[in-house]
Amino acid sequence: MQQQHESFTAIYNEQYAKVFRLCKGYFNGNEVIAVDATQEVFIKVWQHMEEFRNESSMSTWIYRIAVNTCLLYLRKASTRKEIQTETFPERPDELYNAVTEQRLKKMYNCIQQLDETGRLIILLVLDGIEYADISSIIGITEDTLRVKIHRIKKSLSNCVKL
Amino acid sequence: MTSFDQIQELWKLQQYHKKGTPDEIIRRAKQHTREIRRKHKGIIVILTLTVLMLLLYFISFSSRFANQALAGFMLMVLSILVRIAAESISYHRFAAIDIKKSLQQYAQETILFYQFRKKILFLLTPLVFALYVTGFLLLLSAAKKNISHSFYIYTIVSAILFALFISWLIIKQTKKEIKLLQLLTRLQEELKSNK
């Protein structure tokens, strides 16, 4: 039990930022929802940890849980509020300047305009996940994935126009 | 540098805020598991007690009550039991969906679940509702002689308001689940297409 506890702590510290970025991107930059959804992802990670069979990397396994959790997170709970596209948390952060924040806001809005699959795929691409792993997380062949990524990248780049 | 590289750089600039430590997450996960077990036991206890009470009531009062009132009462209780059982089955079917599978497989399993829910909402729920209303009307008409006119009117009005409220809840829930089923079906189609 102690060993499981320790490995969960290590996984949590190592993977938190990645899962949080995925959730934040999926929920249009809404940090409050992203934090709660990330917490839910890790609750599920803990609950299923014993079932991890090393068939994929731990990171891929966690991304699968994260993608599936985000997909239904807002929709299955009636008490949770819908995402408002204009919602963007104000956060006085020294490393963030107004331009970066504005660009991020635009990027979130552009991601939001993609279709459901496109949104989830690009969030994984943006985090630098290998195509083979994305293919395993999403459940489509690598060839199909490449076609989709090409189209999504083009669409996103046109929208953001940095 | 391409535009997408710039987007990726911007993406990595994001910072994150943590809510809770790993210990807190574990505590919440354990609490969640305990709550599920408690809820499951609670449903079994309610179902058992209701059936026992029903049997007891039937054995004790069947000779004294009018058959119509008894039938009405039985129908009402039966409809509630069926509804609780359907919700319990739904809950366990949803919990059994494997969240560790790929998005495509997860979506497929969730679609099957919501198709099952659709059957409950469109077939079983109206049937249960009709059973409940029939039971109520049978009971009410049998009890009419024994209650005052004002109380009789009050019972009818409050029952109509209750029925309207329940119908509104069912319609709201049905719309939400249908919307979700449509989204999942669309997602499946997107995943299957090569575009």
Side-chain angles (χ1 to χ4, degrees), chain A residues 39 51 93 108 117 148, chain B residues 14-15 23 28 100 190:
Chain A
Q39 202 175 42
E51 297 158 40
D93 197 321
Y108 293 134
T117 323
K148 282 185 187 292
Chain B
Q14 293 180 97
Q15 291 186 325
D23 287 346
R28 277 197 59 186
K100 310 174 301 297
E190 282 170 19

Side-chain angles (χ1 to χ4, degrees), chain B residues 51-102:
Chain B
V51 171
L52 284 176
M53 276 174 67
L54 200 64
L55 282 172
L56 205 69
Y57 188 86
F58 186 77
I59 294 162
S60 316
F61 299 104
S62 57
S63 56
R64 275 183 268 168
F65 265 91
N67 281 343
Q68 190 184 339
L70 197 66
F73 178 75
M74 295 284 272
L75 276 180
M76 286 170 78
V77 175
L78 181 73
S79 63
I80 293 170
L81 281 176
V82 170
R83 184 71 199 153
I84 293 173
E87 284 306 316
S88 178
I89 292 167
S90 294
Y91 182 82
H92 287 96
R93 273 190 76 152
F94 187 76
I97 298 174
D98 192 353
I99 193 128
K100 310 174 301 297
K101 285 192 172 167
S102 72

Side-chain angles (χ1 to χ4, degrees), chain B residues 104-136:
Chain B
Q104 195 269 335
Q105 288 167 310
Y106 181 74
Q108 184 56 43
E109 285 187 19
T110 316
I111 284 173
L112 289 175
F113 168 76
Y114 280 106
Q115 280 168 347
F116 166 73
R117 285 288 301 170
K118 201 173 157 185
K119 281 179 195 153
I120 287 184
L121 290 166
F122 283 96
L123 297 172
L124 190 72
T125 304
L127 191 73
V128 163
F129 196 69
L131 267 182
Y132 189 87
V133 171
T134 310
F136 175 77

Side-chain angles (χ1 to χ4, degrees), chain A residues 5 8-9 12-13 16-17 20-21 31 35-36 39 42 44 46-48 51 61 64 67-69 72 75-76 78 91 93 95-96 103-104 107-108 115-117 120 122-123 125-127 136-140 144 147-148 151 153 157 162, chain B residues 3-4 6-8 10-26 28-30 32-33 36 94 98-107 110 114 172-173 176 179-180 183-184 186-187 189-195:
Chain A
H5 200 116
F8 177 76
T9 304
Y12 182 82
N13 291 329
Y16 186 93
F20 176 78
R21 277 198 295 265
E31 200 156 302
V35 167
D36 287 345
Q39 202 175 42
F42 281 101
K44 285 174 182 164
W46 168 261
Q47 286 170 336
H48 295 283
E51 297 158 40
W61 189 75
R64 280 182 172 185
V67 162
N68 294 336
T69 302
L72 296 187
R75 289 158 181 130
K76 70 178 163 71
S78 55
R91 187 182 47 177
D93 197 321
L95 294 170
Y96 269 48
R103 282 177 169 180
L104 276 169
M107 184 176 69
Y108 293 134
D115 61 26
E116 202 72 31
T117 323
L120 289 163
I122 204 64
L123 292 170
V125 174
L126 283 167
D127 231 49
S136 148
I137 294 163
I138 302 293
I140 53 176
T144 310
V147 175
K148 282 185 187 292
R151 181 183 55 81
K153 272 185 175 179
S157 303
L162 289 171
Chain B
S3 183
F4 190 78
Q6 284 177 300
I7 295 172
Q8 205 158 15
L10 184 64
W11 180 258
K12 283 173 184 165
L13 273 178
Q14 293 180 97
Q15 291 186 325
Y16 61 89
H17 289 176
K18 273 188 182 171
K19 186 183 176 184
T21 60
D23 287 346
E24 281 165 2
I25 299 281
I26 293 169
R28 277 197 59 186
K30 285 178 179 170
H32 183 244
T33 312
I36 288 174
F94 187 76
D98 192 353
I99 193 128
K100 310 174 301 297
K101 285 192 172 167
S102 72
L103 177 68
Q104 195 269 335
Q105 288 167 310
Y106 181 74
T110 316
Y114 280 106
K172 198 177 154 197
Q173 180 67 16
K176 200 176 91 181
K179 212 172 144 187
L180 191 49
L183 168 103
L184 290 163
R186 203 169 56 241
L187 179 92
E189 283 164 8
E190 282 170 19
L191 287 168
K192 279 177 190 164
S193 90
N194 283 326
K195 289 176 191 169

Side-chain angles (χ1 to χ4, degrees), chain A residues 12-112:
Chain A
Y12 182 82
N13 291 329
E14 200 181 306
Q15 307 287 339
Y16 186 93
K18 294 176 186 177
V19 174
F20 176 78
R21 277 198 295 265
L22 179 101
C23 294
K24 195 176 171 188
Y26 188 77
F27 297 120
N28 199 23
N30 190 317
E31 200 156 302
V32 178
I33 299 174
V35 167
D36 287 345
T38 307
Q39 202 175 42
E40 190 160 316
V41 170
F42 281 101
I43 286 176
K44 285 174 182 164
V45 168
W46 168 261
Q47 286 170 336
H48 295 283
M49 247 179 93
E50 285 177 353
E51 297 158 40
F52 178 66
R53 297 278 174 268
N54 280 313
E55 285 158 0
S56 62
S57 69
M58 176 56 85
S59 167
T60 305
W61 189 75
I62 290 173
Y63 269 123
R64 280 182 172 185
I65 296 177
V67 162
N68 294 336
T69 302
C70 285
L71 179 71
L72 296 187
Y73 186 73
L74 286 174
R75 289 158 181 130
K76 70 178 163 71
S78 55
T79 47
R80 290 171 189 145
K81 290 177 183 169
E82 292 291 325
I83 318 171
Q84 292 166 0
T85 44
E86 292 306 312
T87 304
F88 195 75
E90 283 182 29
R91 187 182 47 177
D93 197 321
E94 287 169 16
L95 294 170
Y96 269 48
N97 59 41
V99 178
T100 308
E101 199 162 291
Q102 199 56 39
R103 282 177 169 180
L104 276 169
K105 188 178 177 179
K106 194 173 182 186
M107 184 176 69
Y108 293 134
N109 281 329
C110 289
I111 292 172
Q112 208 66 25

